[in-house]
Amino acid sequence: MSLMAELNQRALHRGVPLSVHLDVTYRCNERCEHCYLEHDGDGEMTTAEIKNILDQLAAAGVFFLTISGGEPLIRRDCFEIIEHARALRFNVKLKTNAVLIREKEARRLRELNVEQVQISVYSHRAEVHDGISKLPGSLKRTIAGIRLLRAQGLKVTLANVLMKGNRQDSEGVRQLAAEVGAHYTLDPTITPMMSGDTSVLRLRLPSNQLRSVFEDSNLVGDVAEFCAPPPPVDDDAREGYPCSAGHTACYVSPRGEVYPCVQFPITCGNLREQSFREIWENSPQFLEVRSIRGKDLTTCSSCNHLGTCTRCPGLAWMEGNMRGPSSADCEKSYVRTGIASAAMLAGSGSSFSSVGSGLIQIQPFAAHA
Amino acid sequence: MNDVYISRSTAVAARELAGEMVIMSAVDSTLFSLNETASLIWQAADGKTPLSEIVELRICNEFDVVLEDAYRDAMALVEELAGYGILQLSDQPVAESTLEVAKIA
């Protein structure tokens, strides 16, 4: 077992929230067509409120802190927040579109020892990237920001969200990442908006394009292994947890709301009303999420894919039942292996299934020991 | 004995988890997990307290161990951690590095 896996196990057994995703704002300078957020700044936490929350997160044992948005650098106090986080010795990952990064910002991020910067790049072609971001000139500015970050020696990851309009450009983005010395991650995840609006799901890759992703060794590695039929379901899968959301990870919104995950927007409490520890330890919503094992899942407990499916409990919840199937993941398992899921065989489709398949990146969390 | 002063690098993330320090280097993302004894030394690495004093107060007072043996083991540990760049050694007291808080103009 790797040290990271051991760390996750220790955190799981002790109920420690090892990772927190903190959105410091929903405001953004881009209007990406697939985004799941409304971009208003109503009720945004103040600098002092966020610093207080960071203090609480550090005391609770949070180690990995993702600072994101919206566009986090749109806040004038973003560096003050990062400074505070680093003074508390969080491992800080920043998610940004890099449009606002100039040399002094890149240098400051290096000085603060931000561990990683993740940047969304939709295409290597301006007409495609800018068409998705709805900000003319954004690809040029994003690439300039990436180069400045790399010049400072920062670890940069290009996150390539794939959808109908840019599937053909994944290789171009991968080559761009190689050219600038950045990591590349593929993310065919299009989720409903937090408000519940599912209209963005029309952008999801259709099955035939998703299959082409799964059969591209440049993207998935060993295709035969990746697309192999699922092994027999064992006790680890039946007794295991669906994912880390609510177990060792959670999400904090710019308004202080706490969710199990950014993709699982069930409100577990608000940090303006309760302490983080009270919410993490006692919220009925967190307790319910934590009570669910593979064997408890409606329909999925009898599915051949139970042990290997990337079923997202947040998407399942948005479809109506956190114990139910996530139809996008059913389709993903089917497209990947050619074997229909139990939910598909039972005909328990959902409001999402008619808009094409999608891929959810949350990986199954290891079964508890 | 030639004493040393130890201070934690600012280029790390660190958190105590169940009595053991988890540390990740921001330079190369290497992850470290220190056992209870090493964690005590890490937490005492303020750049001002000599290692011998740390060993005597934090280790020998807590565990049934001879000072010379404990110091030798502690020195090997801090040299190893310094080799990874997550701890700094000095033969003089140093102010623990603090994160620069200068604002971007």
Side-chain angles (χ1 to χ4, degrees):
Chain A
M1 183 184 285
S2 71
L3 191 50
M4 186 64 78
E6 279 184 38
L7 180 58
N8 272 310
Q9 285 292 334
R10 281 164 53 193
L12 181 64
H13 286 301
R14 294 180 180 277
V16 174
L18 200 59
S19 307
V20 165
H21 176 139
L22 169 64
D23 277 350
V24 293
T25 183
Y26 284 154
R27 290 176 289 143
C28 192
N29 47 2
E30 294 185 339
R31 286 293 181 274
C32 300
E33 61 182 357
H34 61 290
C35 188
Y36 53 85
L37 297 173
E38 303 285 356
H39 295 292
D40 67 74
D42 291 349
E44 206 168 82
M45 288 189 288
T46 64
T47 313
E49 285 179 308
I50 291 178
K51 286 183 174 180
N52 176 269
I53 287 169
L54 292 176
D55 293 343
Q56 293 185 55
L57 297 179
V62 175
F63 184 59
F64 298 104
L65 178 70
T66 297
I67 295 178
S68 183
E71 171 47 50
L73 292 172
I74 216 165
R75 278 189 73 127
R76 292 178 184 274
D77 59 357
C78 188
F79 279 96
E80 187 177 347
I81 292 167
I82 296 171
E83 286 164 6
H84 194 75
R86 286 294 300 129
L88 292 166
R89 296 193 186 280
F90 287 104
N91 175 290
V92 174
K93 174 180 176 179
L94 179 68
K95 287 188 174 182
T96 172
N97 56 37
V99 164
L100 297 174
I101 289 179
R102 304 287 188 272
E103 187 166 358
K104 62 185 177 185
E105 284 83 11
R107 185 172 62 248
R108 193 72 187 119
L109 292 172
R110 171 72 283 168
E111 290 168 351
L112 289 167
N113 288 297
V114 167
E115 200 264 335
Q116 183 182 158
V117 184
Q118 181 173 310
I119 298 165
S120 296
V121 176
Y122 306 115
S123 171
H124 59 297
R125 296 184 293 156
E127 63 270 28
V128 176
H129 178 95
D130 296 0
I132 291 171
S133 74
K134 309 298 184 199
L135 178 65
S138 57
L139 180 65
K140 184 178 179 182
R141 293 173 68 180
T142 291
I143 291 176
I146 291 167
R147 292 190 190 282
L148 290 168
L149 293 165
R150 289 295 301 134
Q152 291 290 331
L154 281 154
K155 185 196 294 182
V156 173
T157 296
L158 305 193
N160 185 197
V161 177
L162 289 185
M163 54 196 120
K164 281 181 180 171
N166 69 342
R167 163 65 187 99
Q168 71 280 11
D169 288 358
S170 60
E171 181 57 24
V173 178
R174 204 172 66 83
Q175 289 181 9
L176 173 64
E179 188 231 315
V180 299
H183 299 271
Y184 170 85
T185 67
L186 173 73
D187 188 3
T189 306
I190 305 295
T191 59
M193 295 182 74
M194 278 190 171
S195 63
D197 182 345
T198 59
S199 60
V200 294
L201 302 186
R202 71 188 186 282
L203 300 169
R204 280 179 172 170
L205 290 179
S207 296
N208 62 326
Q209 289 192 22
L210 189 59
R211 186 173 297 115
S212 73
V213 172
F214 291 164
E215 292 175 350
D216 186 339
S217 60
N218 286 325
L219 301 176
V220 303
D222 186 333
V223 173
E225 183 180 343
F226 188 80
C227 296
V233 173
D234 59 16
D235 285 345
D236 278 353
R238 282 185 284 268
E239 297 296 331
Y241 304 108
C243 78
S244 63
H247 293 276
T248 59
C250 71
Y251 167 83
V252 178
S253 84
R255 302 177 186 117
E257 299 143 326
V258 181
Y259 305 155
C261 172
V262 67
Q263 293 184 159
F264 195 167
I266 178 173
T267 305
C268 300
N270 192 302
L271 292 165
R272 282 172 160 155
E273 298 163 4
Q274 290 176 276
S275 72
F276 177 79
R277 191 174 293 276
E278 284 173 335
I279 295 170
W280 178 255
E281 293 180 353
N282 301 318
S283 150
Q285 292 81 9
F286 270 137
L287 296 178
E288 182 177 7
V289 169
R290 286 178 199 138
S291 72
I292 300 171
R293 304 290 185 275
K295 65 185 178 185
D296 302 323
L297 299 177
T298 310
T299 311
C300 301
S301 57
S302 61
C303 183
N304 290 328
H305 293 290
L306 179 64
T308 53
C309 181
T310 55
R311 174 187 172 278
C312 172
L315 271 187
W317 179 76
M318 292 184 82
E319 291 188 44
N321 180 3
M322 70 168 77
R323 291 173 175 80
S326 154
S327 58
D329 290 296
C330 287
E331 292 183 45
K332 175 189 153 195
S333 290
Y334 172 65
V335 169
R336 184 169 54 84
T337 65
I339 298 172
S341 72
M344 295 168 83
L345 292 171
S348 57
S350 78
S351 56
F352 292 7
S353 60
S354 62
V355 294
S357 60
L359 175 63
I360 305 306
Q361 289 298 292
I362 295 176
Q363 296 300 308
F365 200 73
H368 66 78
Chain B
M1 70 181 70
N2 294 323
D3 218 340
V4 297
Y5 297 82
I6 57 176
S7 55
R8 297 177 289 262
S9 166
T10 57
V12 298
R15 192 69 72 228
E16 183 180 337
L17 179 59
E20 298 185 354
M21 290 303 303
V22 177
I23 300 166
M24 181 176 273
S25 165
V27 176
D28 59 10
S29 302
T30 305
L31 184 65
F32 303 84
S33 180
L34 306 186
N35 64 23
E36 185 182 1
T37 315
S39 297
L40 290 172
I41 293 172
W42 169 271
Q43 288 169 321
D46 59 4
K48 301 171 185 173
T49 311
L51 181 61
S52 60
E53 190 176 324
I54 292 172
V55 171
E56 184 174 2
L57 295 178
R58 300 291 189 101
I59 307 299
C60 295
N61 282 353
E62 293 290 326
F63 304 95
D64 183 17
V65 60
V66 177
L67 175 61
E68 287 73 20
D69 293 343
Y71 184 82
R72 187 177 60 247
D73 291 345
M75 181 60 86
L77 170 75
V78 299
E79 287 178 340
E80 183 180 0
L81 296 182
Y84 289 113
I86 64 172
L87 201 65
Q88 292 159 345
L89 308 187
S90 172
D91 56 5
Q92 298 289 327
V94 292
E96 185 178 11
S97 299
T98 52
L99 292 166
E100 186 187 345
V101 292
K103 301 283 188 296
I104 288 185

